[in-house]
Amino acid sequence: MTALFLQIVNLSISASWLIAAVLVLRLLLKKAPRWISVLLWGLVAIRLVCPFSIESALSLLPSASTIPSDILTDPSPSLETGIPALDRVVNPVIEHSFAPQPAASANPLQILLPVLAAVWAAGVVLLAVYAGVSYLRLRRRVSTAVRLRDNIFQTEQVVSPFILGVFRPCIYLPFSLDETTLSAVIAHEQAHIRRRDHWWKPLGFLVLAVHWFNPLVWLSYLLLCRDIELACDEKVVREMGAAQRADYSQALLSCSVRQNRLGACPLAFGEVGVKERVKRVLHYRKPAVYLVAFAVVCCLATAVCFLTSPRTDTDTPPASSTDEPASRTLPLTEQSAAECIAKTLETLTLHSDGTVSFSLPEELPVSGDGKTALAVNLSATFSDAPGSYSVQDLLDDRRGWNGGERFVGSLESERGELVGVTLGVFFWTEVDTDAYQMYAGDSRELTAPFNYDAPAGYTAPGLQFEQDGPALRITCRMRDGSEPKLSFTLPEGISAAESDGTEVYQLLLVQEGEPAGSVTLYPFGASDAETLAGVDTAASSLPMQIFSPVALSNHAGYEGYQVQRSWDSGCTATAQYVWQDLRASSGDAASIPWQQMDCVLAYDWNVMPYFVEILLDEEGLAADIADSVQLVS
């Protein structure tokens, strides 16, 4: 029943756009015959009950299915309204409120939607029972009616004429009508029967009962009843003279009754909009042919634009698949890739309900040859004991993203205390079968203490430097917007230069135009306060909590670690950087010789969660540089 309910809601949402259009057309076609309005309401009924439609480029519906059929099982539930601005406002609220929790036994929507479906079904049954009981009570009231002729009866139990019955409709009249009024009333009710209005009104009520939750459908039904009466009046008075129309208007006034309730039947002569009906009858003019033709064209156009569904493009390649391909893609360049990466990373948000989210920009860069694609990684690190960590991979190199898409993932809090969250956004180029090269990419890491329910922000990382003689001052532009400072004294003849590699936190050291070393920042192995509190900054043993990203590599590491200066949150030290040049041989890695060079290491976790590695080609310079290193937040 839940699936049926979702389908009904989708039909109701689609029909709401058509109802809005019909309300506007009723005003524009005020002087057109009222059967045009009844026809328009017929289009609304088709939209409300027809579970399928033809796709068309002319469709004005923003979305064929606002509520996705898989919303019950979607880990990131969202609506597809077809209006990007509305999606951006509504979907974050839905995802934040109804994303499944790892520890929960059921998806919140799997609980809520069946309840709503049951309420909907109960409403349908109540309205159906109401209509049935009203019909039976009315049938019992007229059971003593006396036949006047044919299918026309008179009774003292009614105060206004009406038609009762669907397959064998009968006209019921009060005894109190005079001959002039009686003639007008019978003409009106017989016109109803010829127009099959005794079918359309119950069918309209049936549609209303199914879509009772939509206030626009209630308004549509009320206006349908009014337009049915006005159309019937026009059919009756079309051939009447002024005097006959006056008698007909007097009959309307004589039989007018106050409508106190809503019903599927009967069709009462003076029950709906008597004032407007009298006015239209007295001022009736046969509509011009061109007006009728224009109204018919409007009906046809409305049917084409609102009874069809928007066309979906199924031929778009996966790498550039978006909801609106023409407006959500742009050519891939280094600048567009960098902007896309920055806009995505700045939205990374850790929520207090145990979820993490990010959003992609509306326009995604797409390569012309389709070989370069966007991939996203998202992971969370937990600690259940000092020195014990586990990683939850929420996204592992996921591709096929759409512009404007938002991801919400649930953190597995049972793993332990959250230590960090890392979002990586990359563009990978396929250079060979299952071989890729990074075109552009960066990552954003959140570490304790965390700020919840607000985007973390992002600044394009990098190192900016200025050199005054041997004094080198470096501004470390971090992804969180902070700019810690690093400074030290270079040996004579050595200067800094921009790196042409992929490391964003790296500078080259050159001497007479030749490479003489490098300055690189690496993230700590662990950055949580509890782990860092266990680091002995003065000990001449390499603290793996700090240096593990390099020291635990199979082909690189540090030896001969000696602390030069230390303080509570960091130190400067000298060491030997040892490594194997894997590019030098294509054989067994064990046969590749190890190389070494002097280096300076420095860190201060109160300044930044990165350690500094200064490599030097020339020996004997490390100690002097280490003594001059300064780290300032």
Side-chain angles (χ1 to χ4, degrees), residues 230-245:
L230 292 173
C232 188
D233 290 338
E234 289 178 350
K235 185 176 180 65
V236 174
V237 304
R238 188 165 49 194
E239 305 300 332
M240 287 184 177
Q244 291 173 304
R245 289 201 298 271

Side-chain angles (χ1 to χ4, degrees), residues 145-155 162 168-173 175 177-191 193-194:
V146 178
R147 186 188 300 272
L148 179 63
R149 63 175 185 269
D150 300 326
N151 65 334
I152 304 173
F153 294 82
Q154 289 182 300
T155 176
F162 61 87
R168 289 188 295 175
C170 296
I171 301 172
Y172 293 91
L173 310 170
F175 278 111
L177 300 180
D178 57 44
E179 285 299 321
T180 302
T181 303
L182 186 65
S183 175
V185 168
I186 291 175
H188 177 90
E189 303 299 347
Q190 287 177 335
I193 294 175
R194 288 194 299 272

Side-chain angles (χ1 to χ4, degrees), residues 13-29 36-37 40-41 43-44 47 60-62 216 219-220 223 298-299 301-307:
I13 293 172
S14 297
S16 296
W17 295 103
L18 176 54
I19 293 172
V22 171
L23 293 175
V24 174
L25 286 173
R26 284 182 82 252
L27 296 176
L28 296 177
L29 301 176
I36 293 290
S37 295
L40 289 172
W41 293 126
L43 299 180
V44 172
R47 181 80 262 188
L60 294 182
L61 294 180
L216 286 177
L219 176 61
S220 300
L223 293 177
C298 287
C299 288
T302 302
V304 170
C305 294
F306 289 95
L307 293 186

Side-chain angles (χ1 to χ4, degrees), residues 314-541:
T314 58
D315 299 326
T316 305
S320 60
S321 174
T322 62
D323 293 334
E324 298 177 35
S327 62
R328 289 197 175 185
T329 62
L330 70 164
L332 176 66
T333 63
E334 290 185 1
Q335 180 178 353
S336 64
E339 290 177 353
C340 174
I341 293 168
K343 289 179 180 179
T344 303
L345 293 176
E346 70 183 6
T347 66
L348 179 61
T349 305
L350 188 60
H351 300 282
S352 54
D353 64 352
T355 61
V356 60
S357 69
F358 67 88
S359 301
L360 289 131
E362 292 295 330
E363 294 182 323
L364 295 183
V366 175
S367 65
D369 58 8
K371 292 185 177 180
T372 303
L374 173 66
V376 179
N377 300 321
L378 180 62
S379 64
T381 303
F382 298 87
S383 176
D384 58 358
S388 175
Y389 302 95
S390 64
V391 177
Q392 176 193 358
D393 289 319
L394 291 94
L395 294 174
D396 185 10
D397 204 32
R398 175 175 158 181
R399 308 187 181 204
W401 295 92
N402 298 321
E405 188 171 350
R406 184 172 185 265
F407 175 84
V408 179
S410 297
L411 298 174
E412 298 173 355
S413 56
E414 65 272 15
R415 287 175 175 263
E417 182 182 357
L418 181 65
V419 175
V421 175
T422 302
L423 173 65
V425 183
F426 304 93
F427 284 87
W428 294 101
T429 301
E430 186 176 10
V431 294
D432 202 349
T433 304
D434 294 329
Y436 296 88
Q437 179 179 334
M438 189 173 71
Y439 179 84
D442 201 2
S443 61
R444 177 75 168 92
E445 183 180 11
L446 305 182
T447 56
F450 299 106
N451 292 321
Y452 291 94
D453 302 317
Y458 170 82
T459 300
L463 300 180
Q464 294 178 325
F465 70 94
E466 59 180 19
Q467 186 171 353
D468 184 8
L472 179 63
R473 290 180 291 273
I474 301 173
T475 299
C476 307
R477 196 170 61 244
M478 311 306 287
R479 294 176 174 89
D480 62 2
S482 63
E483 295 187 344
K485 306 296 191 295
L486 163 66
S487 64
F488 57 90
T489 302
L490 287 170
E492 185 177 353
I494 296 180
S495 60
E498 297 284 352
S499 171
D500 56 0
T502 59
E503 293 285 349
V504 294
Y505 289 132
Q506 187 175 72
L507 294 176
L508 295 181
L509 299 179
V510 296
Q511 186 173 26
E512 297 180 354
E514 296 296 326
S518 63
V519 180
T520 308
L521 269 59
Y522 292 103
F524 287 172
S527 56
D528 60 292
E530 184 178 2
T531 301
L532 294 177
V535 175
D536 183 355
T537 60
S540 288
S541 58

